[in-house]
Amino acid sequence: MSSKKYVIGLDYGSDSARAVVVDTETGEEVAQSVKYYPRWMEGKYCNPAANQYRQHPLDYIEVLEYTVKNALKEAGSDVARNVVGLSFDTTGSTPAFVDKDGIPLALKPGFSENPNAMFILWKDHTAVKEAAEINALAKKWKEDYTKYEGGVYSSEWVWAKVLHVLREDKSVREAAWSWIEHADWMPALITGTEKPDQVVRSRCAAGHKAMWHESWEGLPPEDFLTTLDPLLKGYRDRLYRHTYPSDTKVGNLTPEWAERLGLSTDVVVGVSAFDCHMGAVGGGATPNVLARAIGTSTCDIMIAGYEQIGDKLVRGICGQVDGSVVPGYIGLEAGQSGFGDVYAWFKNVVAWPLNNVLAKSKLLDNETKQKLIDETIDQIIPRLSEEAMKISVEESTILATDWMNGRRTPDASQEVTGSITGLTLGSSAPGIFRALVEATAFGSKAIVERFREEGVELKGVIGLGGVARKSPFVMQTLADVLNMPIKVAATEQTCAVGAGMFAAVVAGIYPNVEEAQKKMGQGFEKEYKPDSKNARQYEAIYEKYLKLGHFTENEL
């Protein structure tokens, strides 16, 4: 029997989940499996026109069983016998209401088709009004409970979401006992610690999204919550006081879940964190290096020493939390609400004739039409990128902002909208696409500049995720706009591998996550260096981006 030890990192993204089996000695990704959430892919329980995005807990359970078993099958029985630990990362804030036993309401009779009983995905923006109320009350209160979350509470975060649902849905209001983050529910589910008073809560989730802080003994006090709305009465007492970093053990697999996953009850399960936080660890982040998980949105993570942060409050970001990324450091989070989603939106605009004209044509049979449509749509972004690269910076007259899905950082607002200006009768699809890519880069620069304005040292940038690995045009534009080199992590599944690194610490393979990073990290595969001429030109265009953003936010 092999003496090697393995861990499983489970990464729950917006559309799918993946399980990665990792060799704890080398960091080799031995096997992996990915599965899309079946109900989500059917568009169930979502209403994009109302910014409503909900996910059924059965989707999470089904992909857990499938991906773990499938990855272990690929890895082989000898590997499965030597798995010692398992950890999750998830998107967030993604909460759901639960009953007294910690069961999400959507798993109970009468609620299985009710979107309000499901997990509320991070990008659900139905709670804009509630977020505004939280911000207004926090600024009047004797203690500003948003101050460690950048001073601006977002509709993407848990208290705004749960209050919105409590107000909207009487049936959920009457059945709910408490709420839980997706990040906390997954380890609780498979270790048998689902009851609200038994759940081991993530420091990452609580500190960045739930206004938890040690200085006020946990969550905001009862009088603050009930002043916000009496519907929140009693929730604080039914939630939690303490939170834990991701090097903490939640428990072992229950016999039921060990059997369902093809593992043993000796497998330990760690405290979860949000995807980008574990992705930063898996991608090799070190102090004062900004790790950017670039996908449909971005999440920007940095760790900084206590001596650097001190009593400083970093304005307008998504939180500064002790131990939310690496224990022993302050974790700083920022991000953009739309990045790859901006490109996907434009692709759908360009593809409209294919889906609405060609699809209805009677000149071709249905199978041929669909094949042609699918193949053409797949080529839209690559061809736009290819042509956009040929347009020089000075040629373009088009300017855009990147707020098609609101703004996460700096200064969260889900009420702002995107804009495009400078269009002429000569403007082309590649020209517009280039402007959108530049807009997402300008949004990234705004985050970097905010950190600098707040006195946070920035030593470098790491790119993580699909866009970083697969989009040279986007990454070069980003390097030019930031006027900084960007290293791209060699690990494809940085979030899952980061979860695996924490699982190795929880299992006792390594004493801390820094040591796990050294042994299991895969380094970098590429570096994008800024073009000095483009960087100078982008400095001036960035100022125009800021003016356009100010105008659309304040004057329209």
Side-chain angles (χ1 to χ4, degrees):
M1 183 181 292
S2 171
S3 61
K4 282 180 171 287
K5 301 298 180 186
Y6 302 90
V7 288
I8 299 175
L10 280 146
D11 170 37
Y12 274 76
S14 298
D15 299 324
S16 62
R18 63 225 18 93
V20 179
V21 181
V22 186
D23 184 324
T24 60
E25 185 178 342
T26 66
E28 177 193 357
E29 297 171 35
V30 176
Q32 62 176 280
S33 178
V34 180
K35 185 173 177 62
Y36 287 94
Y37 308 128
R39 295 162 189 79
W40 171 262
M41 295 310 292
E42 292 177 26
K44 288 186 173 182
Y45 318 120
C46 298
N47 180 2
N51 289 311
Q52 175 184 299
Y53 297 94
R54 310 292 165 85
Q55 293 183 330
H56 203 292
L58 284 176
D59 273 356
Y60 299 155
I61 292 172
E62 289 168 11
V63 298
L64 170 63
E65 287 193 78
Y66 176 88
T67 57
V68 171
K69 290 166 73 173
N70 201 47
L72 290 174
K73 181 180 179 181
E74 180 185 329
S77 58
D78 196 42
V79 169
R81 284 193 295 268
N82 287 284
V83 171
V84 294
L86 181 155
S87 285
F88 295 88
D89 70 76
T90 73
T91 65
S93 179
T94 305
F97 284 99
V98 297
D99 66 8
K100 286 186 178 182
D101 292 319
I103 299 172
L105 296 186
L107 295 178
K108 296 176 66 67
F111 291 97
S112 62
E113 296 298 313
N114 183 344
N116 291 323
M118 297 173 191
F119 282 91
I120 308 169
L121 191 64
W122 63 270
K123 69 178 182 178
D124 186 295
H125 293 162
T126 53
V128 170
K129 176 177 179 289
E130 287 75 14
E133 292 175 28
I134 291 171
N135 285 315
L137 182 61
K139 297 301 176 283
K140 294 188 297 185
W141 209 257
K142 52 185 176 289
E143 179 77 80
D144 183 353
Y145 297 111
T146 71
K147 68 182 183 180
Y148 290 105
E149 295 181 339
V152 182
Y153 203 76
S154 170
S155 65
E156 293 184 353
W157 301 347
V158 59
W159 284 112
K161 290 176 172 179
V162 300
L163 179 54
H164 176 77
V165 171
L166 287 173
R167 287 172 170 175
E168 186 177 75
D169 195 317
K170 182 181 178 182
S171 64
V172 169
R173 184 166 67 242
E174 292 177 346
W177 174 255
S178 187
W179 56 258
I180 193 167
E181 278 282 358
H182 181 203
D184 292 330
W185 184 62
M186 297 308 303
L189 174 71
I190 63 176
T191 59
T193 56
E194 295 169 88
K195 290 191 174 182
D197 62 346
Q198 296 176 345
V199 177
V200 182
R201 307 279 181 161
S202 164
R203 172 73 53 83
C204 176
H208 285 284
K209 312 301 180 188
M211 296 185 284
W212 181 96
H213 199 268
E214 192 60 50
S215 66
W216 47 76
E217 298 185 344
L219 296 167
E222 179 80 356
D223 59 343
F224 176 84
L225 295 173
T226 54
T227 300
L228 179 63
D229 195 306
L231 292 177
L232 293 173
K233 182 179 180 180
Y235 271 86
R236 189 183 194 274
D237 288 342
R238 299 195 293 270
L239 284 161
Y240 51 91
R241 163 68 181 87
H242 299 289
T243 64
Y244 301 89
S246 295
D247 62 351
T248 306
K249 175 182 174 180
V250 173
N252 289 63
L253 288 178
T254 63
E256 176 194 351
W257 274 102
E259 182 178 352
R260 290 173 74 168
L261 299 178
L263 295 167
S264 81
T265 55
D266 293 330
V267 173
V268 298
V269 180
V271 170
S272 296
F274 289 146
D275 46 7
C276 48
H277 296 72
M278 283 191 168
V281 171
T286 53
N288 297 99
V289 172
L290 188 66
R292 310 203 73 223
I294 308 173
T296 55
S297 64
T298 76
C299 193
D300 301 336
I301 301 296
M302 189 190 305
I303 59 173
Y306 300 135
E307 70 286 347
Q308 180 185 164
I309 299 299
D311 295 328
K312 186 183 302 177
L313 294 171
V314 184
R315 177 176 53 94
I317 64 170
C318 303
Q320 53 189 88
V321 180
D322 185 4
S324 65
V325 183
V326 175
Y329 292 90
I330 301 295
L332 304 169
E333 178 190 345
Q336 291 165 266
S337 293
F339 199 97
D341 266 354
V342 175
Y343 314 150
W345 162 77
F346 189 60
K347 179 181 77 172
N348 290 336
V349 171
V350 172
W352 189 91
L354 296 173
N355 290 317
N356 294 276
V357 179
L358 180 58
K360 296 177 182 178
S361 170
K362 299 185 184 301
L363 297 176
L364 299 170
D365 63 85
N366 289 336
E367 183 178 347
T368 303
K369 279 191 297 186
Q370 195 58 53
K371 185 174 184 291
L372 180 60
I373 290 169
D374 292 344
E375 288 177 353
T376 305
I377 287 175
D378 286 345
Q379 286 299 309
I380 288 176
I381 294 297
R383 289 299 302 276
L384 284 173
S385 298
E386 183 182 322
E387 293 302 314
M389 287 176 69
K390 299 175 184 177
I391 302 172
S392 64
V393 176
E394 58 266 23
E395 277 184 75
S396 177
T397 63
I398 307 171
L399 182 67
T401 60
D402 55 314
W403 300 340
M404 278 68 170
N405 195 33
R407 183 181 63 226
R408 185 178 297 158
T409 313
D411 306 316
S413 172
Q414 259 51 68
E415 296 177 312
V416 297
T417 56
S419 54
I420 304 174
T421 187
L423 296 169
T424 71
L425 292 178
S427 297
S428 65
I432 297 171
F433 181 70
R434 182 180 181 97
L436 293 173
V437 171
E438 290 171 343
T440 56
F442 291 142
S444 305
K445 184 177 176 67
I447 293 169
V448 168
E449 292 303 312
R450 176 56 61 88
F451 277 124
R452 288 172 171 159
E453 290 166 6
E454 295 295 304
V456 179
E457 183 184 6
L458 190 63
K459 294 180 179 178
V461 180
I462 295 173
L464 317 171
V467 173
R469 291 173 59 86
K470 300 174 184 177
S471 303
F473 169 57
V474 173
M475 295 307 294
Q476 186 60 56
T477 303
L478 185 57
D480 291 347
V481 168
L482 296 181
N483 198 14
M484 295 179 70
I486 303 174
K487 293 180 178 179
V488 177
T491 303
E492 181 180 2
Q493 302 291 355
T494 51
C495 296
V497 169
M501 289 176 179
F502 275 108
V505 176
V506 174
I509 303 296
Y510 296 110
N512 53 55
V513 73
E514 294 98 324
E515 194 64 25
Q517 279 183 300
K518 290 176 186 176
K519 299 290 187 180
M520 299 171 67
Q522 301 299 303
F524 305 99
E525 68 174 16
K526 190 170 185 177
E527 183 175 18
Y528 290 91
K529 295 182 179 180
D531 178 290
S532 58
K533 179 185 175 183
N534 288 349
R536 286 193 301 272
Q537 292 175 312
Y538 278 135
E539 286 289 342
I541 301 172
Y542 175 66
E543 293 302 318
K544 295 179 181 178
Y545 163 87
L546 294 177
K547 289 178 181 178
L548 177 60
H550 178 82
F551 176 77
T552 58
E553 183 172 6
N554 297 287
E555 304 298 332
L556 293 181

